[in-house]
Amino acid sequence: MRSPVSLCTGVTYDRSSIQHWLESGHDTCPATMQILSNKDFTPNLTLHRLISTWSRPLTVSEREVGVLIDKVGSERESETTCVDCLVKIAEFVSGCEENRRFLARYCGFLDTMVGVLRRNSVEIVVSESVVRVLDLILIENGVKEKLNGLILKSNNNCLSSILKVVHKGSLDSKIKSIKLLDSISVDNESKRQLAETEKLLSVLFDHLKTAEDQKLDDAILSILITLSATRSVKTQLVRLGLVQVLSNTLWNPKSANPNIEKAIKLLSMIVTCSEGRSAVSEEPTCAAGIVERIMKVKKTAREDGMVVVWSMCCLYKDSRVKDAVVTSNGVTKMLLVMQSENEGIVRRMSGDLIKVLGKDNKYGLGVYDSKTTHIMPY
């Protein structure tokens, strides 16, 4: 396919092929056999760009890649030469799937890349280029596991170089370096080691607090979920002010749904420690934000949100959270949740919440003025 065009049915064909079909007397879409209301073509510009990118000749051959890797690994080469070589390697990897596999299997390639990050006082522009190349091959089998061993078992310079990119690199480099760290967190030991890396959590939190970019926030929330496996990490994040930041994410109308769902997931992990529960109790907009979003997220996030609200209201009987839930029209939302779930833990938790919130007049359904008349909880 060289010149992709779409018919009125939305199906895309090569222009010469579909023209031949129609000129042969057909008046249907070949894929769907629908009769065409018109025979106009609409150029598929997105697919055309993808085809052009895929089919353009490679500027670097497999043989030349070996030479480039040797230059990158040589400390005698200048910073400019190193970056130029890494740019060419990235172009080669981006060329096609076969190139990516070739580079991932190339003997000594990953060792060379990590070796550059280990160097004393490596320039950030070089680290950014290395991170970009590594990001392109992370999906290949065994790469994450090997990088885990190379990065986490090397000297501290390696993590320091990546952290510098997280802290001061370009937006795209920050995202890629965070994803790199997240991908090498393959077991509890690596998660612990990364969480204990000096200033990593605080740098991640500072970026999240300033809400620079939705994609950056998504990467940060993902790695925080990965690292929040121990009580010490949860406590540290709570002390940094994570609950307030997550609450802001829930209430921010510009927050993307995946970020909202990850924020709720993090809160469900935070409330498993006493410091986290205290922070949720002291931040009244947090529970209210979960209630506000509870019917607008995917099922897994709805369960995470119910865990937070149920834990605070039913298990720990926090009066401030109860007030926040009721004030934010929470009883109606719990009824909606119950109606949407035929069975399972979420339905049981919503039933428990309705009972708890209806025990006395303060939270009772008798004094609750709901406009929702078609929902019956029992």
Side-chain angles (χ1 to χ4, degrees):
M1 185 181 290
R2 295 294 179 185
S3 178
V5 293
S6 300
L7 294 180
C8 58
T9 56
V11 182
T12 298
Y13 301 95
D14 182 69
R15 183 186 292 272
S16 60
S17 299
I18 194 62
Q19 278 181 334
H20 177 74
W21 170 266
L22 296 175
E23 289 169 358
S24 300
H26 298 94
D27 61 354
T28 58
C29 172
T32 66
M33 296 312 294
Q34 290 177 261
I35 296 177
L36 301 172
S37 58
N38 65 73
K39 297 183 180 181
D40 297 334
F41 299 149
T42 302
N44 189 328
L45 299 178
T46 300
L47 184 56
H48 188 273
R49 284 195 297 270
L50 290 171
I51 291 171
S52 298
T53 301
W54 178 83
S55 60
R56 73 185 178 193
L58 294 175
T59 57
V60 180
S61 68
E62 291 183 0
R63 180 179 298 176
E64 290 172 321
V65 166
V67 176
L68 293 172
I69 293 172
D70 289 340
K71 286 186 176 181
V72 171
S74 173
E75 295 192 36
R76 295 191 300 272
E77 299 291 345
S78 68
E79 171 196 313
T80 302
T81 300
C82 186
V83 171
D84 287 344
C85 291
L86 288 166
V87 168
K88 290 178 182 178
I89 291 172
E91 288 177 355
F92 173 80
V93 181
S94 302
C96 63
E97 187 175 340
E98 288 75 12
N99 290 359
R100 189 178 68 235
R101 290 175 179 170
F102 168 80
L103 198 61
R105 295 193 300 264
Y106 191 94
C107 182
F109 168 69
L110 292 178
D111 302 77
T112 299
M113 295 296 103
V114 174
V116 174
L117 296 175
R118 287 178 185 155
R119 294 174 187 170
N120 292 323
S121 304
V122 61
E123 293 296 328
I124 190 169
V125 65
V126 177
S127 298
E128 285 182 298
S129 300
V130 171
V131 167
R132 181 189 174 202
V133 172
L134 292 178
D135 177 75
L136 291 169
I137 62 170
L138 279 176
I139 62 173
E140 291 301 314
N141 290 336
V143 170
K144 296 177 183 178
E145 290 75 13
K146 187 164 185 180
L147 285 175
N148 169 278
L150 289 172
I151 293 175
L152 296 181
K153 293 178 182 176
S154 67
N155 58 32
N156 292 331
N157 286 345
C158 192
L159 282 175
S160 296
S161 298
I162 299 173
L163 183 57
K164 186 185 296 184
V165 177
V166 175
H167 187 33
K168 298 180 179 180
S170 67
L171 177 61
D172 184 62
S173 296
K174 288 176 183 177
I175 295 170
K176 285 180 169 58
S177 56
I178 292 169
K179 288 182 177 180
L180 172 60
L181 292 175
D182 197 5
S183 69
I184 64 173
S185 305
V186 296
D187 52 35
N188 289 334
E189 176 57 26
S190 55
K191 292 174 186 178
R192 181 198 62 76
Q193 191 171 343
L194 277 177
E196 292 177 357
T197 300
E198 187 179 5
K199 296 183 179 180
L200 174 61
L201 292 180
S202 59
V203 169
L204 292 172
F205 178 77
D206 287 342
H207 284 318
L208 189 63
K209 185 169 59 176
T210 54
E212 299 171 55
D213 178 83
Q214 289 289 316
K215 291 183 179 179
L216 178 60
D217 289 350
D218 179 80
I220 294 172
L221 289 168
S222 293
I223 193 172
L224 290 182
I225 289 171
T226 300
L227 299 181
S228 296
T230 63
R231 178 189 176 90
S232 61
V233 174
K234 296 172 193 173
T235 301
Q236 187 175 346
L237 290 173
V238 169
R239 289 172 180 169
L240 285 170
L242 181 64
V243 171
Q244 182 179 8
V245 172
L246 295 179
S247 181
N248 292 340
T249 299
L250 295 177
W251 285 104
N252 187 348
K254 296 181 180 180
S255 293
N257 233 44
N259 291 1
I260 290 168
E261 291 170 355
K262 288 177 181 179
I264 294 173
K265 175 65 177 178
L266 255 180
L267 286 168
S268 72
M269 301 172 75
I270 291 295
V271 295
T272 60
C273 68
S274 58
E275 293 86 355
R277 292 191 292 274
S278 297
V280 171
S281 177
E282 293 166 6
E283 184 64 44
T285 60
C286 183
I290 292 175
V291 171
E292 174 66 22
R293 298 283 191 172
I294 199 75
M295 293 302 298
K296 303 173 186 177
V297 294
K298 293 180 182 178
K299 187 172 182 177
T300 51
R302 186 175 304 147
E303 182 172 334
D304 291 330
M306 290 298 295
V307 165
V308 177
V309 179
W310 180 87
S311 297
M312 297 301 296
C313 293
C314 299
L315 190 60
Y316 298 103
K317 300 178 175 57
D318 191 287
S319 60
R320 285 183 288 190
V321 175
K322 287 182 182 179
D323 285 334
V325 170
V326 172
T327 304
S328 59
N329 204 24
V331 176
T332 297
K333 293 291 177 66
M334 293 305 108
L335 291 171
L336 286 169
V337 171
M338 179 172 280
Q339 184 189 44
S340 69
E341 300 286 338
N342 295 325
E343 57 184 4
I345 185 65
V346 172
R347 182 179 174 85
R348 291 197 295 273
M349 285 191 290
S350 59
D352 290 343
L353 280 163
I354 292 169
K355 292 176 185 177
V356 166
L357 299 177
K359 271 189 173 181
D360 51 54
N361 287 334
K362 184 178 180 182
Y363 304 108
L365 294 177
V367 298
Y368 183 75
D369 182 18
S370 173
K371 305 299 181 184
T372 309
T373 58
H374 65 287
I375 300 174
M376 298 298 292
Y378 303 107

